[in-house]
Amino acid sequence: MLELIFSAWWHWFIAAILLMILEVVVPGVFLIWLGLGAALTGLFLLLIPGASLAWQLLALACSISIAVTAGLKWQRTLLRRQPAQLNLGLDGFIGRIAEVSQPFTQGHGRIRLDGSSYPATSSTRELAIGQRVQITA
């Protein structure tokens, strides 16, 4: 029965397209690699038209392994490029520029950052509204 289903290269391409569409419907970044493996198996069958089902399944296993490995490498590369800013809390504000929203008197006042207002202290005793400051701690 399976030999009839996957007797032509375009069957693999249809399976690949269905898997990739299913990836959009059921997100999880896994079905895309199975779809890519199915597409590579269709390409294998296009190049070697008389390949038996066993060879097709071997090509599928190899191509899925290659696709998953390449996907994991690509994902690691993306994660290394992005600075980790999740769960940093207020420490994520260090180094950013804010604006004084209430005047600082005796080193205490409020700053505005990203649409929110925060209490702040400064080594400079007096800061005026609208003055730009850098967050250091």
Side-chain angles (χ1 to χ4, degrees):
M1 178 70 179
L2 283 177
E3 290 180 358
L4 292 176
I5 294 174
F6 296 109
S7 60
W9 58 269
W10 56 273
H11 292 143
W12 285 106
F13 284 113
I14 289 174
I17 290 169
L18 289 175
L19 284 166
M20 290 182 187
I21 288 172
L22 196 58
E23 173 69 32
V24 173
V25 175
V26 183
V29 191
F30 186 75
L31 293 175
I32 190 111
W33 307 120
L34 297 178
L36 184 57
L40 290 173
T41 304
L43 184 62
F44 167 76
L45 194 57
L46 186 63
L47 296 173
I48 305 171
S52 68
L53 181 61
W55 280 106
Q56 292 178 44
L57 293 177
L58 180 65
L60 178 65
C62 291
S63 60
I64 287 175
S65 298
I66 291 168
V68 168
T69 303
L72 289 174
K73 269 187 148 177
W74 174 64
Q75 189 177 21
R76 275 190 221 116
T77 303
L78 286 178
L79 289 175
R80 268 190 248 127
R81 286 186 200 159
Q82 297 175 351
Q85 293 183 351
L86 188 61
N87 294 329
L88 288 179
L90 295 177
D91 288 340
F93 292 152
I94 294 176
R96 296 190 50 198
I97 303 295
E99 187 175 308
V100 175
S101 62
Q102 283 183 358
F104 278 64
T105 55
Q106 299 177 353
H108 297 284
R110 293 188 74 80
I111 59 170
R112 179 167 300 285
L113 183 65
D114 293 338
S116 295
S117 178
Y118 299 96
T121 58
S122 172
S123 59
T124 306
R125 308 280 294 161
E126 305 292 326
L127 292 172
I129 293 176
Q131 193 170 347
R132 299 176 74 68
V133 293
Q134 183 174 14
I135 300 170
T136 58

